[in-house]
Amino acid sequence: MTTGMADRLGGGVAARMAHYLQVLTQAKKAGRSAITSHEISEYTHVNATQIRRDLSGFGTFGKRGVGYSVDALIGEISGILRTAGQHNIVLVGGGRLGQAIAEADVFADHGFSIVGVVDSDPAKVGSSCGLLTIRSSNELPQLIEDNQVIVGVVAVPAEAAQDVADELVRAGVRIVFNYSGALIDVPPHVTAHTTSPAVELLYALYFHLA
Amino acid sequence: MTTGMADRLGGGVAARMAHYLQVLTQAKKAGRSAITSHEISEYTHVNATQIRRDLSGFGTFGKRGVGYSVDALIGEISGILRTAGQHNIVLVGGGRLGQAIAEADVFADHGFSIVGVVDSDPAKVGSSCGLLTIRSSNELPQLIEDNQVIVGVVAVPAEAAQDVADELVRAGVRIVFNYSGALIDVPPHVTAHTTSPAVELLYALYFHLA
DNA sequence: TAGATTGTTAATCGATTAACAATC
DNA sequence: TAGATTGTTAATCGATTAACAATC
């Protein structure tokens, strides 16, 4: 087979597709109805030809001389990434960072729903975090089971990150999304991702200085 | 020339180097003194052979049978990326997100120093954010000039992001680091980076579902 | 029509991977 | 020594880029 779509995307394509989807979602929120590959390129820093090639592998989504329909392309890409449904996530840590995450709609924009927030500090339990009420850490396993949560977001200080990750893994989470900055170890069947804004900044700075 | 180092790194190498540096910095904080290419690979999701090849292009930093000295490698990479010095950044937005950023040491760990926080809300001016006191937005140009700030961090609601970016650009900032999620436009001589955690999550989810 | 942008080819460049000798 | 890990080669695969016909 030389044409047709693969059963599973390569890592590079999948990562770029997710990035396009993010840009399209923001463009839609900004009221845009059409967008060109060059505009997507500006925001993603991915070559425009590469974007057109990535997309054309799955169908002819664009209009020559015009660009792409934002709505239509969001539908196509979320279909390709199979992320069109609703996915439940749980947030550990109700401090300032946790509150900022709960209030933001970064996750909600892509169909990720925060079904619960827990904190190990008894003083925080009962207070509100976004639209939710902070619950005790010992409710974590039940929360994950009841809501079929596969993503756990870690928003605790670096020192506590590994313990929280362990708890999440024990409770059945498959993806650990770590905002603490600390390195965490997870078993092979679990994916850990540590956000590191400084990496992007170091990168940008290098090209500024060079 | 087939050997020796390039005057300027390729985009791929530079991005990976920044990522290695982040992992090494965290490993050092966790008390590690040595690390192997396989461990760096686990945390960065970059192939171990690729890591060794990237590093060996600049010298022989590792010890066969042992791995790399964390301290020594931090020194080498920050030299290669020319980011060893101190760099001043300014934070716009003293809300929960801004406070979380000011409190975290993601930036401080890499020599980025937040020299000021401003907010357009007069009610917030004067209150504290991390170790700093929130200042009025109209002090932004002076703050940037006095401290030779080249990086501006945007931690405001999406609606205000473009205006803030414009202000930062007018004040002479060269890198805009945007946490708002909104798409922002900047002139060609300025680099904009929008953090989008959801992109990584969509990516991880795709491989979990597929 | 004229201008713009997509879809697609071909050619180059860099990333990835397996394999293994060197050596700690 | 034995075990482990680096440094490096070679072969493959994917990304990048320029160019341009197709077409809105």
Side-chain angles (χ1 to χ4, degrees):
Chain A
M1 290 265 284
T2 49
T3 45
M5 57 184 80
D7 278 17
R8 192 180 193 181
L9 272 54
V13 196
R16 293 195 299 277
M17 285 293 199
H19 209 164
Y20 307 156
L21 187 53
Q22 162 68 12
V23 167
L24 291 162
T25 305
Q26 292 302 323
K28 183 188 168 85
K29 289 183 89 176
R32 301 288 308 274
S33 60
I35 195 166
T36 68
S37 60
H38 290 277
E39 288 175 296
I40 303 178
S41 175
E42 267 176 52
Y43 298 122
T44 57
H45 304 124
V46 173
N47 182 280
T49 308
Q50 174 85 304
I51 294 170
R52 296 199 299 277
R53 169 197 289 266
D54 282 341
L55 296 174
S56 71
F58 297 94
T60 54
F61 305 143
K63 263 204 175 61
R64 290 168 201 240
V66 180
Y68 298 89
S69 153
V70 172
D71 272 329
L73 204 48
I74 287 174
E76 297 290 356
I77 297 179
S78 46
I80 292 163
L81 291 178
R82 302 171 211 184
T83 52
Q86 194 72 19
H87 300 283
N88 292 336
I89 72 184
V90 79
L91 176 60
V92 182
R96 290 199 223 276
L97 180 56
Q99 288 173 38
I101 294 168
E103 278 173 3
D105 33 27
V106 233
F107 293 124
D109 282 345
H110 291 281
F112 294 107
S113 175
I114 300 176
V115 297
V117 186
V118 303
D119 201 297
S120 62
D121 179 1
K124 287 216 187 77
V125 174
S127 60
S128 69
C129 183
L131 298 169
L132 298 161
T133 301
I134 298 176
R135 300 157 79 164
S136 166
S137 282
N138 55 35
E139 294 186 44
L140 191 60
Q142 194 65 49
L143 196 59
I144 288 170
E145 196 184 339
D146 291 351
N147 298 280
Q148 296 178 306
V149 171
I150 54 168
V151 180
V153 176
V154 178
V156 301
E159 313 82 64
Q162 183 65 61
D163 285 347
V164 167
D166 291 345
E167 276 182 66
L168 287 166
V169 169
R170 265 198 304 276
V173 150
R174 303 303 289 266
I175 298 169
V176 175
F177 212 72
N178 173 26
Y179 274 91
S180 77
L183 303 177
I184 54 172
D185 293 305
V186 293
H189 68 281
V190 176
T191 303
H193 180 83
T194 300
T195 62
S196 38
V199 171
E200 311 291 338
L201 192 46
L202 285 168
Y203 177 76
L205 192 65
Y206 173 73
F207 286 102
H208 173 72
L209 298 174
Chain B
M1 291 264 283
T2 49
T3 43
M5 56 184 82
D7 277 16
R8 192 180 191 178
L9 273 54
V13 195
R16 292 196 299 277
M17 285 293 199
H19 208 163
Y20 306 155
L21 188 53
Q22 161 68 13
V23 167
L24 291 162
T25 305
Q26 291 302 323
K28 184 188 169 84
K29 290 182 89 176
R32 300 288 308 273
S33 62
I35 196 166
T36 69
S37 59
H38 290 276
E39 289 174 296
I40 303 177
S41 175
E42 268 177 51
Y43 297 122
T44 57
H45 303 124
V46 173
N47 182 281
T49 307
Q50 175 83 303
I51 294 170
R52 295 200 300 275
R53 170 198 288 268
D54 282 340
L55 296 174
S56 72
F58 297 94
T60 52
F61 305 143
K63 263 204 175 63
R64 293 170 201 236
V66 179
Y68 299 88
S69 153
V70 171
D71 272 328
L73 205 47
I74 287 174
E76 297 290 356
I77 297 178
S78 47
I80 293 164
L81 291 178
R82 299 169 212 187
T83 53
Q86 196 71 20
H87 301 282
N88 292 337
I89 72 184
V90 80
L91 175 61
V92 183
R96 290 199 221 277
L97 180 56
Q99 288 173 37
I101 294 167
E103 280 173 2
D105 34 25
V106 232
F107 292 125
D109 281 345
H110 292 281
F112 295 107
S113 174
I114 301 177
V115 296
V117 186
V118 303
D119 201 298
S120 61
D121 179 2
K124 286 215 188 78
V125 175
S127 60
S128 69
C129 184
L131 297 170
L132 297 161
T133 300
I134 298 175
R135 300 157 80 162
S136 166
S137 280
N138 54 35
E139 294 186 44
L140 191 59
Q142 194 65 50
L143 197 58
I144 289 169
E145 197 184 337
D146 291 351
N147 297 281
Q148 296 177 305
V149 171
I150 56 168
V151 180
V153 175
V154 178
V156 301
E159 313 83 65
Q162 183 65 60
D163 286 346
V164 167
D166 292 345
E167 276 181 67
L168 287 167
V169 168
R170 264 198 305 275
V173 150
R174 304 303 289 265
I175 297 170
V176 176
F177 212 74
N178 172 26
Y179 274 91
S180 79
L183 303 177
I184 55 171
D185 294 304
V186 292
H189 69 280
V190 177
T191 303
H193 179 83
T194 300
T195 62
S196 39
V199 170
E200 310 291 338
L201 192 45
L202 286 167
Y203 177 77
L205 193 64
Y206 172 74
F207 286 101
H208 173 73
L209 297 174

